[in-house]
Amino acid sequence: MDLSRRSIGSSSPDIPQPRCDYLYYPLKSSGNGELRLIRLWPGPVDCEDIKLEIFHARKSSKPTLIIVGSEKHEGILTRPWMSRPTSPVWASPIISPLQLRHLRYPDRERILWADAICINQTDDAERSREVLQMGSIYSNAIQVIVWLGPSEDDSTLALETLDRIGRGVDFDRRSFAVISEPGAWAEALETNAEMLKAESPRWVAIAKLIRRGWFHRLWVFQEISLATSSSVVAGECSIDWELFRLGLYWIWYKINDLNRLPGVPYIENPSTNSLHGLLNVSDRNVNTSVNFLSALDLTRKSLCSDKKDRLFAIQGLLPPVEQRLITPDYSLRTEEVYKATTTSCINLYGRLALLPYCVLQSSPSDVELPSWVPDFSFQDAPEPISYSGAAGCALGSYSLHERDILVVQGVKVAEITEAWASNITQQSTNDELGKVWCDWGKQVSLSAAYVAGGHMDEALVETLLCGQTKENVPDNFGWSPSGKVCKDLLLAPENFNGETQDNRSDGPDRELVFSLSRRSVIGRAFFKTAEGYIGVCPESVKSGDYVVVILGCDVPLVLRPGQNNRANFRIVGECYVPGIMNAEGILGRLPPGWTKRILVPRNERDTLMVYEQGRIKTQQDPRASALPPGWRVMFGTMYYPFEMSLKMRECGTGLGS
């Protein structure tokens, strides 16, 4: 028998609860256990009558199943023939009849698996158990069929275009570069502006296709990343996922040129939505597992209906050692799930890496948590700050007390005196973004010396980009503009005399710098401190908040002292402050002549520091010799320091107390 399976919709909790008259029989857990399957009876595509039934079958470790993701849920009643009992299932909120009509065979039955139907949505215990099995079900599937919906808005043209582009390009993860093959159609488009313009209908179709709902749902990360083979379907047209992925990377590569074409609707940069993460985790050429923090970053813009699924839906993406951080249990409150996962993460690694994910929200949240526990459901948090080593990769010094108080050790660096919110969104114009640069620049003396060294104008540029310049990001992973290029663009006289940004022609770096700055200032405020530092942090900041560096936390934090007890604090959020991002708050400045670089090792899952002086290159921080009594040097990567010698492990250097 052609045993296949399908996932109609994302995983079980991601969809509306069905109106169901069907009586679910418990799944047996003995042996290899059971799963429910759907038998879809044959019929022509143009026939609206759909017949199906649900039955139990043994789970199999063989890749004999098919998963199908649906783009949306429609409200038409389907009346299947049931094996037991005979009453019909009201499956309309879950199953798209049009989708089933395209998937069924014309002359024989098809056996499918639908997470939304084959898991009892009203049984929290079953849902919790089955979520743990989702990863193995997806990875054992023979194919994932991503159903994007019917053929409309020239979706066939969009898929055919991505297929054609994907066959002539490759993507280099380390350099984040799209490489076109000589003679390929993609290469011709890159070198011929008139040809690119003539193909505008194709770019219009792609812009509309990637706005469909499937790309924004959280559970699809598991579906697509764990599958061994997958294809994308819209109506009658289908292409292989790998060609689809490569084609979209090329669109990303050419996005600025495409968005300048007349008549082409704005194509949103994948780095600003969930599409970036989806493309990242579905690369068949690398290990699909990602660490916990990376999974949070990649999925932060995706949507789900149950807030607990912010964690449950990524559990199957993690390596085995981190899967135990998350225990799916739908009977628990959201607050219990978030706190348990945060505590487990702290205890597993001995570090406070989740504290930068905490944001004091301007509007009250219905998820009530201690300020040191992130609200993982909050999607309006600013873009995470990357490549920071403010605590020198130090292990955390912490203890958890009663009344949900986390006691930590750290250093107060400064006290905030003034702050100005950016009020910038993804929809803000370049002129509005330029006005923010101008307004913030007027709050400081650009020609003055900066408290941490260098000049104020350089510190301001670094702040406007949260350090995303060539000097501060890994030089063997992707490309970033230099500080000089950024300074010339961000502090150009035109920004301060009201000239329209879109009338400027500053070369190819302009779009990248604008994009980096936009992502850096959205949701953030610019602040000054009494000590002379400047920086950015969440817009909920107030005068009197502290800038601190906490042991075990790579990014500086803004804390708010308690009104009645100034020894108690609430986390406002992470911040970027030039002059304290490389452990200066703990160890002081690097000795004269020393510089540091950040590299991405071969596993591409973490970063390490390299310190240089002339021909000397070492992973040993030159300031480590001045450690206080009781401290020891530890070797390891940014997130996971180890107490090993440098010869035993090719990693970076951190500090441990």
Side-chain angles (χ1 to χ4, degrees):
M1 180 174 64
D2 174 25
L3 180 62
S4 52
R5 72 162 268 248
R6 78 176 240 111
S7 158
I8 307 175
S10 269
S11 176
S12 56
D14 187 40
I15 56 179
Q17 295 294 320
R19 290 169 51 201
C20 186
D21 299 321
Y22 175 68
L23 177 62
Y24 280 93
Y25 284 72
L27 294 170
K28 294 180 181 179
S29 57
S30 58
N32 290 329
E34 282 186 332
L35 76 165
R36 297 185 186 91
L37 295 175
I38 295 176
R39 178 176 285 109
L40 181 62
W41 296 102
V45 173
D46 57 358
C47 179
E48 295 184 359
D49 293 333
I50 299 172
K51 295 180 181 180
L52 55 82
E53 67 172 305
I54 299 174
F55 64 96
H56 289 200
R58 285 290 178 184
K59 292 179 179 176
S60 172
S61 59
K62 297 180 180 180
T64 55
L65 305 176
I66 293 178
I67 310 170
V68 182
S70 65
E71 187 264 344
K72 59 183 178 182
H73 316 109
E74 301 182 6
I76 302 175
L77 173 65
T78 64
R79 185 174 294 276
W81 295 96
M82 307 304 301
S83 59
R84 58 176 191 180
T86 57
S87 60
V89 174
W90 291 74
S92 58
I94 301 167
I95 301 178
S96 164
L98 179 62
Q99 178 186 6
L100 292 180
R101 284 160 48 190
H102 279 85
L103 293 174
R104 65 184 173 186
Y105 292 129
D107 55 357
R108 66 187 188 277
E109 68 182 29
R110 196 172 198 180
I111 307 302
L112 310 169
W113 184 89
D115 48 8
I117 294 294
C118 297
I119 298 176
N120 185 355
Q121 301 299 307
T122 62
D123 185 341
D124 283 347
E126 179 178 310
R127 292 169 68 203
S128 302
R129 291 193 303 270
E130 292 304 301
V131 165
L132 289 172
Q133 304 299 319
M134 300 293 278
S136 61
I137 292 175
Y138 291 135
S139 59
N140 287 331
I142 195 172
Q143 188 180 24
V144 171
I145 301 176
V146 176
W147 170 259
L148 296 181
S151 177
E152 58 187 16
D153 295 327
D154 288 325
S155 57
T156 298
L157 179 63
L159 291 181
E160 289 176 348
T161 301
L162 292 170
D163 180 277
R164 186 176 177 185
I165 292 173
R167 293 180 185 276
V169 302
D170 197 8
F171 177 69
D172 187 337
R173 289 176 58 91
R174 295 187 65 81
S175 62
F176 210 77
V178 177
I179 304 169
S180 298
E181 297 177 0
W185 185 51
E187 184 188 50
L189 291 170
E190 293 171 14
T191 57
N192 190 326
E194 288 302 316
M195 179 185 293
L196 191 73
K197 181 179 179 181
E199 300 290 359
S200 288
R202 297 180 182 272
W203 321 132
V204 174
I206 291 173
K208 293 179 179 179
L209 183 74
I210 60 178
R211 291 175 183 171
R212 297 197 183 192
W214 185 88
F215 296 101
H216 305 289
R217 289 169 37 212
L218 177 59
W219 279 98
V220 302
F221 276 79
Q222 262 199 141
E223 292 180 2
I224 202 67
S225 67
L226 299 180
T228 56
S229 175
S230 49
S231 58
V232 182
V233 180
E236 299 290 329
C237 186
S238 171
I239 72 170
D240 182 79
W241 173 267
E242 183 61 14
L243 296 177
F244 182 81
R245 188 181 71 88
L246 291 173
L248 281 182
Y249 267 125
W250 187 89
I251 296 295
W252 190 354
Y253 168 64
K254 295 293 292 181
I255 195 167
N256 293 321
D257 293 333
L258 296 176
N259 280 333
R260 283 194 292 265
L261 294 176
V264 175
Y266 178 76
I267 304 175
E268 188 176 358
N269 193 313
S271 63
T272 65
N273 57 39
S274 56
L275 188 55
H276 168 219
L278 202 57
L279 296 177
N280 184 293
V281 301
S282 61
D283 189 344
R284 303 283 183 261
N285 299 315
V286 298
N287 184 359
T288 56
S289 67
V290 295
N291 66 48
F292 180 44
L293 299 184
S294 295
L296 290 176
D297 292 341
L298 293 173
T299 62
R300 60 191 295 267
K301 294 296 185 180
S302 301
L303 304 176
C304 62
S305 57
D306 190 325
K307 293 184 177 182
K308 293 186 282 289
D309 286 339
R310 298 308 312 180
L311 297 177
F312 295 169
I314 66 174
Q315 198 255 8
L317 301 174
L318 307 179
V321 68
E322 290 193 321
Q323 287 187 6
R324 63 190 184 190
L325 296 175
I326 303 170
T327 304
D329 186 346
Y330 285 101
S331 68
L332 297 176
R333 295 183 300 111
T334 300
E335 290 84 353
E336 294 175 298
V337 173
Y338 288 5
K339 181 181 174 183
T341 299
T342 301
T343 304
S344 296
C345 184
I346 292 173
N347 291 334
L348 177 62
Y349 293 115
R351 310 194 70 241
L352 302 172
L354 281 178
L355 294 190
Y357 291 80
C358 301
V359 179
L360 181 60
Q361 302 175 35
S362 300
S363 302
S365 171
D366 58 355
V367 181
E368 298 181 359
L369 297 163
S371 74
W372 55 270
V373 176
D375 181 355
F376 298 104
S377 67
F378 182 52
Q379 292 190 289
D380 293 330
E383 190 81 12
I385 294 173
S386 303
Y387 310 122
S388 171
C393 300
L395 293 177
S397 177
Y398 62 89
S399 59
L400 184 59
H401 290 219
E402 295 180 354
R403 295 180 297 160
D404 289 334
I405 295 176
L406 179 69
V407 177
V408 300
Q409 291 188 3
V411 176
K412 175 189 172 184
V413 177
E415 181 172 340
I416 294 172
T417 55
E418 296 178 279
W420 299 266
S422 73
N423 297 318
I424 290 293
T425 68
Q426 284 294 347
Q427 290 70 43
S428 298
T429 65
N430 286 339
D431 286 341
E432 291 170 329
L433 183 61
K435 185 176 185 302
V436 169
W437 303 338
C438 175
D439 292 343
W440 289 2
K442 291 178 179 179
Q443 308 305 323
V444 296
S445 175
L446 296 177
S447 60
Y450 185 57
V451 63
H455 295 88
M456 182 63 76
D457 57 353
E458 298 168 337
L460 178 62
V461 169
E462 187 178 337
T463 301
L464 291 172
L465 297 169
C466 285
Q468 298 293 298
T469 63
K470 182 179 180 180
E471 294 80 6
N472 294 318
V473 303
D475 57 8
N476 63 334
F477 192 77
W479 179 87
S480 296
S482 68
K484 182 182 184 306
V485 167
C486 295
K487 179 180 176 181
D488 291 343
L489 286 168
L490 297 178
L491 300 185
E494 293 88 343
N495 293 336
F496 296 86
N497 62 19
E499 180 175 326
T500 300
Q501 296 291 338
D502 291 332
N503 291 337
R504 295 173 56 183
S505 56
D506 297 306
D509 293 329
R510 178 176 178 272
E511 285 88 355
L512 178 58
V513 173
F514 273 53
S515 176
L516 289 174
S517 180
R518 182 184 301 272
R519 292 165 55 189
S520 298
V521 304
I522 287 178
R524 289 195 168 103
F526 175 74
F527 65 79
K528 297 196 301 184
T529 74
E531 294 76 8
Y533 290 98
I534 62 172
V536 287
C537 68
E539 291 179 334
S540 53
V541 63
K542 291 182 179 180
S543 174
D545 290 345
Y546 294 169
V547 175
V548 302
V549 174
I550 294 177
L551 298 184
C553 181
D554 293 321
V555 187
L557 299 178
V558 172
L559 301 185
R560 180 161 300 163
Q563 293 182 349
N564 300 323
N565 184 352
R566 297 187 69 81
N568 290 343
F569 300 85
R570 296 182 65 192
I571 295 178
V572 175
E574 65 177 3
C575 61
Y576 191 95
V577 180
I580 69 169
M581 306 304 291
N582 186 34
E584 294 93 342
I586 297 176
L587 299 176
R589 301 182 193 179
L590 287 171
W594 283 90
T595 59
K596 62 98 178 174
R597 287 192 300 144
I598 304 175
L599 297 178
V600 176
R602 292 181 179 179
N603 63 16
E604 300 182 10
R605 299 302 184 192
D606 216 335
T607 55
L608 54 85
M609 295 284 188
V610 175
Y611 297 90
E612 299 177 333
Q613 184 187 49
R615 296 183 177 181
I616 300 175
K617 292 180 174 60
T618 177
Q619 294 170 309
Q620 175 73 49
D621 192 322
R623 298 167 294 183
S625 59
L627 289 176
W631 285 66
R632 63 188 186 279
V633 174
M634 298 197 60
F635 302 97
T637 54
M638 178 83 73
Y639 289 120
Y640 313 125
F642 298 92
E643 193 168 6
M644 299 181 183
S645 70
L646 190 59
K647 295 180 180 179
M648 293 174 60
R649 189 177 182 90
E650 188 179 351
C651 296
T653 298
L655 302 172
S657 61

